[in-house]
Amino acid sequence: MRPWIGGLLAAWVGIVPACALAAGVATVQAGDRTLTVAFDGANARVDVSGFSQGYLLMRDDKLYSVMQAGGRPLVMDGSAVARLLGGGTIQVGPDMIRSLTRIEPTGARETIAGRAGAVYTVSYQDIQGRARTGRGVLGKQPEVRELTRALGRMALLLQAAAGQSPDGARQVLDALEEKGLGLLAYDTQFRVQQLETAPPAPGRLDLPAPPTQLPPELGQLLQGLRAK
């Protein structure tokens, strides 16, 4: 489960309906990374711990990479960096979901980030065809559902940019949408630590500059970093 949301986003150092239910700002632990997620409708921003010079921005289901170059913001189509790196920073783990089997309630309850949730068993097949199960905590709160939508859409866009099949992740997101649920935690790999329902600060989800092509010097730098 980690690769389709948290892992795909942290590794950057038909999509579910985009109707807006809530806006907010969340802190999410995804593996060894901490994500700061600001979201409002079809727009979202993800800042990743350990990468202070840039962030991911989604506007109207288009993904952008925002970096600093010469003290100025540099905005690129999200697929540009993925193409340049050849998917090198978006690794396909052996536990990547290929197809969802079922999501079943266990009857247990747990509170995450101040939100009451129900514990579910998630069964799926990984990309090697092996049966796997995990433990997820799912909540019905509008802000939890909208946070899941935002991260899910960004993960699908990253997968598509990296040339990976989004089918498994889409099955999970569609199943959550059908059940009216959002993701609060999954095993030790994903956990919402804090979730505020106040809208993001004005301008936080705006493009800081018009999108541009990847400068040759920056492309050479990124290629050099990839080779190390």
Side-chain angles (χ1 to χ4, degrees):
M1 291 283 290
R2 173 179 174 269
W4 66 266
I5 289 189
L8 280 172
L9 295 172
W12 176 70
V13 209
I15 296 174
V16 295
C19 54
L21 293 177
V25 179
T27 302
V28 177
Q29 191 67 34
D32 60 353
R33 297 284 186 175
T34 299
L35 313 179
T36 301
V37 187
F39 57 96
D40 189 354
N43 302 328
R45 167 175 167 165
V46 173
D47 292 82
V48 182
S49 63
F51 195 78
S52 61
Q53 296 301 310
Y55 54 91
L56 287 177
L57 186 67
M58 181 177 67
R59 292 189 58 84
D60 302 319
D61 283 328
K62 292 185 179 179
L63 191 64
Y64 301 94
S65 303
V66 181
M67 304 179 70
Q68 292 292 322
R72 297 182 178 181
L74 177 66
V75 180
M76 297 169 289
D77 184 288
S79 62
V81 174
R83 287 196 302 268
L84 175 70
L85 298 174
T89 58
I90 305 176
Q91 299 292 339
V92 178
D95 58 345
M96 175 74 78
I97 181 171
R98 185 174 71 181
S99 62
L100 177 67
T101 305
R102 57 184 173 274
I103 300 178
E104 296 181 318
T106 66
R109 306 285 297 179
E110 188 171 337
T111 299
I112 305 290
R115 272 75 176 178
V119 179
Y120 283 72
T121 296
V122 181
S123 303
Y124 65 99
Q125 280 192 335
D126 65 20
I127 59 173
Q128 297 178 352
R130 295 175 297 188
R132 289 180 176 266
T133 60
R135 177 183 180 276
V137 181
L138 308 179
K140 294 184 178 181
Q141 297 84 357
E143 64 272 21
V144 176
R145 296 176 61 193
E146 190 66 8
L147 172 63
T148 302
R149 284 181 175 136
L151 287 176
R153 289 197 300 273
M154 295 184 81
L156 292 177
L157 291 171
L158 274 174
Q159 282 183 302
Q164 300 171 6
S165 172
D167 291 347
R170 185 178 288 115
Q171 288 179 27
V172 175
L173 293 169
D174 285 347
L176 293 179
E177 185 71 19
E178 182 180 353
K179 295 177 182 292
L181 295 169
L183 183 65
L184 283 166
Y186 186 82
D187 285 346
T188 60
Q189 302 159 354
F190 181 95
R191 187 179 184 91
V192 178
Q193 295 182 322
Q194 186 175 358
L195 179 54
E196 300 177 0
T197 54
R204 185 166 178 79
L205 303 183
D206 294 344
L207 285 172
T212 185
Q213 296 295 318
L214 188 70
E217 61 272 18
L218 182 57
Q220 294 171 3
L221 173 62
L222 290 176
Q223 288 177 333
L225 291 174
R226 181 190 175 196
K228 293 180 181 180

